[in-house]
């Protein structure tokens, strides 16, 4: 070690170093003189403590080996349970055993992108599997000595009935926020009335709504809003009302059996669901309306515009306006990439200027209402990205924004009385702005009432 001694600090450093050397020598001498003295005793104590700690850690490690490793899996877009098993290098024989259990196959076969699955794995063997089936139900599968066993753990939700209402100043979302309601609930209101009200073009300041909905909690923890039970929307003076009705409440009514377990109906039992969507995509604006004497922007001459142009970014999904069969799919002159769908009752819809078609879509294939069939583009004679949409009845073009859309299946006459009995307390609650005693009595405790946005 080299020190600088031309200063006071340097001298002090040298003295400290010499003192340290002397101290070390003295300790070594003492150790040699005492032999198995206090330093040896201390060493033995340290060795004993270390040994005990190592034994404890070894036992803990041994026990840890016996515990399963929990692996959290986020389901991907194209994942199936078999794909996940292979990624985790788990036995597909175990998968077959799981799917052979009564009622378990239905709970496992259909996975949803983004959901969480918990796998318990020990020695590359599946010992447990957990899946959240709903906010109140958890599926738990465990390996026992004689095979797999499953059970559904139920943790009931508490439901509180609420009334929310607001007047629109700028938008539906603004009004919902004023009432203390979430954007998700606002979207559901828009979805209920999407066949009758264009929430982009039709909404005006002064429009208002009142909604009866469930507020969910579990073990005292708020979980957000539940079902919308009834809603009233006043749009430019016209009153629209919707009543939620579970199909199971009218057992055996074939008129109510569709792809869902419930529907929304007018007070007289007509379905709010129409046979056709008013607009088959989420658009930013109407760039050109139905006009038999429009000047074409590309050809620069008067040419009838027998449809509606919805401006939207390239790649925006386009949905089938109604259930039907693909009549034509391909390129056709000024339409560019176009799809034509033939529907019942001599109705045909046309979707032009697409950038591409939905994967696997073929001529003659059946499509459902709301199914994605293509994507917005600007192929053919188009000056910008948009969807050109046409609606034809018996071969005659109709204005898609004004044509009367036929309702979906109404409640049958034989069951209409049951529906009206169900709807009565909901309609009373909508009119009064508070939960009626009859409605409260129909809901099992611990339901309570409340209001929002009054």
């Amino acid at each position: 070690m080299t020190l600088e001694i031309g200063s006071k600090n340097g001298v002090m450093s040298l003295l400290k170093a010499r003192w340290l050397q002397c101290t070390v020598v003295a300790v070594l001498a003492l150790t040699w003189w005492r032999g198995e003295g206090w330093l040896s005793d201390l060493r033995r104590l340290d060795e004993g403590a270390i040994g005990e700690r190592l034994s404890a850690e070894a036992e803990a490690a041994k026990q840890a080996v016996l515990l399963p490793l929990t692996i959290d899996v986020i389901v991907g877009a194209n994942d199936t349970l078999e794909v996940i098993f292979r990624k985790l290098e788990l036995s597909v024989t175990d998968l077959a055993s799981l799917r052979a259990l009564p009622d378990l196959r239905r709970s496992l076969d259909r996975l949803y992108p983004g959901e969480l699955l918990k796998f318990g794995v020990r020695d590359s063997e599946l010992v447990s599997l957990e899946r959240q089936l709903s906010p109140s139900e958890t599926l738990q599968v465990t390996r026992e000595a004689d095979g797999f066993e499953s059970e559904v753990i139920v943790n009931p939700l508490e439901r509180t009935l609420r009334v929310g209402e607001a007047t629109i100043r700028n938008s539906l979302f603004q009004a919902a926020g004023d009432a203390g309601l979430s954007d998700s609930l606002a979207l559901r209101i828009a979805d209920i009335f999407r066949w009758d009200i264009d929430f982009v073009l039709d909404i005006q300041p002064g429009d208002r709504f009142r909604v009866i909905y469930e507020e969910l909690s579990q073990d005292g923890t708020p979980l957000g809003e539940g079902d919308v039970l009834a809603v009233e929307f006043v749009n430019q003076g016209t009153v629209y009302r919707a009543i939620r009705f579970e199909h199971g409440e009218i057992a055996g009514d074939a008129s109510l059996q569709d792809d869902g377990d419930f529907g929304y109906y007018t007070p007289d039992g007509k379905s709010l669901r129409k046979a056709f969507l008013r607009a088959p995509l989420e658009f930013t604006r109407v760039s050109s309306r139905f006009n038999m004497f429009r000047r074409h922007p590309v050809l620069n001459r008067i040419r009838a515009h027998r449809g509606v142009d919805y401006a939207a970014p390239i790649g925006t999904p386009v949905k089938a306006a109604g259930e039907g069969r693909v009549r034509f799919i391909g390129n056709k002159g000024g339409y560019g990439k176009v799809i034509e769908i033939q529907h019942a009752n001599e109705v045909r819809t046309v979707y032009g200027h697409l950038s591409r078609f939905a994967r696997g879509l073929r001529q003659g294939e059946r499509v459902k209402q709301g199914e994605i069939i293509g994507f917005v583009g600007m192929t053919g004679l188009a000056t910008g990205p948009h969807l050109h949409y046409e609606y034809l009845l018996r071969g005659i073009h109709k204005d898609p924004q004004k044509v009367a859309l036929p309702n979906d299946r109404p409640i049958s006459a034989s069951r209409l009385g049951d529906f009206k009995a169900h709807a009565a307390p909901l309609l009373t609650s909508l009119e009064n702005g508070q939960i009626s005693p009859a409605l409260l009595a129909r809901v099992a405790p611990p339901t309570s009432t409340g209001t929002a946005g009054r």
Side-chain angles (χ1 to χ4, degrees):
M1 180 174 58
T2 303
L3 296 175
E4 181 140 350
I5 61 174
S7 65
K8 181 180 179 180
N9 289 338
V11 173
M12 293 301 296
S13 298
L14 180 59
L15 291 175
K16 288 179 181 179
R18 290 293 173 86
W19 179 84
L20 180 60
Q21 290 175 353
C22 292
T23 301
V24 171
V25 171
V27 171
L28 292 175
L30 182 61
T31 302
W32 174 81
W33 179 66
R34 293 196 61 182
E36 296 295 323
W38 64 275
L39 288 176
S40 298
D41 293 339
L42 182 60
R43 184 171 63 251
R44 284 197 297 272
L45 288 173
D46 287 345
E47 289 174 351
I50 291 172
E52 290 178 4
R53 188 174 69 182
L54 289 176
S55 297
E57 290 179 351
E59 181 63 25
K62 181 179 179 182
Q63 293 299 324
V65 171
L66 299 177
L67 295 174
L69 173 66
T70 299
I71 303 174
D72 292 344
V73 175
I74 304 296
V75 176
N78 299 312
D79 280 348
T80 62
L81 208 55
E82 181 178 352
V83 169
I84 294 173
F85 263 64
R86 294 188 185 279
K87 287 180 180 178
L88 298 179
E89 298 183 354
L90 298 175
S91 170
V92 291
T93 302
D94 285 345
L95 175 59
S97 300
L98 289 177
R99 298 180 70 219
L101 291 176
D103 298 326
L104 193 58
R105 181 172 181 171
R106 184 174 57 182
S107 299
L108 291 175
D109 272 4
R110 189 172 184 181
L111 304 181
Y112 300 94
E115 74 168 309
L116 173 67
L117 302 179
K118 292 180 177 289
F119 290 82
V121 179
R122 182 173 55 225
D123 294 333
S124 299
E125 183 179 69
L126 178 70
V127 295
S128 67
L129 172 61
E130 182 177 301
R131 183 189 187 190
Q132 194 80 25
L133 299 179
S134 71
S136 61
E137 295 178 319
T138 302
L139 172 67
Q140 291 185 346
V141 180
T142 55
R143 182 189 289 273
E144 304 295 341
D146 55 348
F148 289 103
E149 292 185 0
S150 68
E151 64 175 332
V152 175
I153 308 299
V154 179
N155 188 4
L157 300 178
E158 293 84 39
R159 303 173 186 271
T160 302
L161 295 188
R162 299 288 187 188
V163 178
E165 58 183 320
T167 299
I168 291 175
R169 292 183 287 108
N170 300 312
S171 69
L172 178 62
F173 294 105
Q174 157 267 311
D178 290 348
L181 307 175
S182 69
D183 286 352
S184 174
L185 192 65
L187 284 172
R188 276 188 277 168
I189 293 173
D191 188 63
I192 291 169
F193 293 114
R194 69 185 185 274
W195 288 277
D196 294 301
I197 304 173
D198 187 328
F199 281 85
V200 176
L201 302 175
D202 294 344
I203 299 301
Q204 300 292 329
D207 289 352
R208 63 187 187 276
F209 69 84
R210 179 177 288 164
V211 58
I212 300 173
Y213 65 98
E214 296 175 333
E215 190 174 72
L216 304 180
S217 61
Q218 191 174 58
D219 300 328
T221 301
L223 297 180
E225 295 123 344
D227 295 328
V228 172
L229 303 182
V231 57
E232 175 184 277
F233 200 99
V234 181
N235 175 229
Q236 301 183 44
T238 302
V239 179
Y240 299 90
R241 286 179 173 175
I243 305 296
R244 186 183 192 276
F245 197 81
E246 293 188 6
H247 298 159
E249 296 189 34
I250 302 183
D253 189 348
S255 71
L256 295 177
Q257 306 307 314
D258 58 16
D259 296 333
D261 296 326
F262 65 93
Y264 285 94
Y265 301 86
T266 64
D268 57 358
K270 293 180 180 179
S271 174
L272 266 75
R273 177 188 174 106
K274 302 295 192 296
F276 294 90
L277 298 175
R278 182 63 72 183
L281 78 166
E282 299 293 333
F283 60 95
T284 55
R285 61 187 177 89
V286 174
S287 56
S288 185
R289 299 183 184 275
F290 188 90
N291 185 351
M292 298 301 289
F293 303 99
R294 186 192 70 156
R295 182 174 294 275
H296 196 280
V298 176
L299 301 177
N300 195 29
R301 59 185 175 86
I302 300 299
R303 184 176 180 179
H305 189 246
R306 296 183 172 90
V308 175
D309 289 348
Y310 294 101
I314 289 179
T316 300
V318 175
K319 304 172 183 178
E323 183 176 344
R325 189 180 299 277
V326 177
R327 182 173 184 263
F328 177 86
I329 180 170
N331 289 280
K332 182 182 287 187
Y335 287 98
K337 293 183 183 296
V338 64
I339 295 174
E340 296 180 9
I341 298 178
Q342 186 67 51
H343 308 275
N345 301 319
E346 300 182 75
V347 174
R348 177 160 49 99
T349 54
V350 180
Y351 313 77
H353 305 313
L354 302 174
S355 59
R356 58 190 175 94
F357 307 121
R359 182 179 300 176
L361 190 64
R362 299 286 185 271
Q363 185 171 328
E365 184 175 336
R366 292 201 66 83
V367 293
K368 294 182 178 180
Q369 184 185 71
E371 180 179 339
I372 294 175
I373 57 174
F375 301 87
V376 168
M378 51 184 297
T379 55
L381 293 178
T383 58
H386 70 278
L387 170 72
H388 175 77
Y389 174 60
E390 297 180 3
Y391 182 102
L392 296 88
L393 176 61
R394 300 184 184 91
I396 300 173
H397 286 84
K398 302 292 183 179
D399 185 346
Q401 292 185 294
K402 297 179 179 179
V403 65
L405 299 177
N407 288 80
D408 200 18
R409 293 158 292 184
I411 295 174
S412 64
S414 62
R415 299 291 183 175
L416 191 56
D418 295 333
F419 167 75
K420 289 189 174 182
H422 165 83
L426 289 167
L427 291 170
T428 300
S429 300
L430 279 178
E431 290 171 2
N432 298 333
Q434 59 185 9
I435 304 302
S436 69
L439 180 58
L440 186 60
R442 200 171 68 189
V443 182
T447 298
S448 60
T449 65
T451 57
R454 302 297 301 277

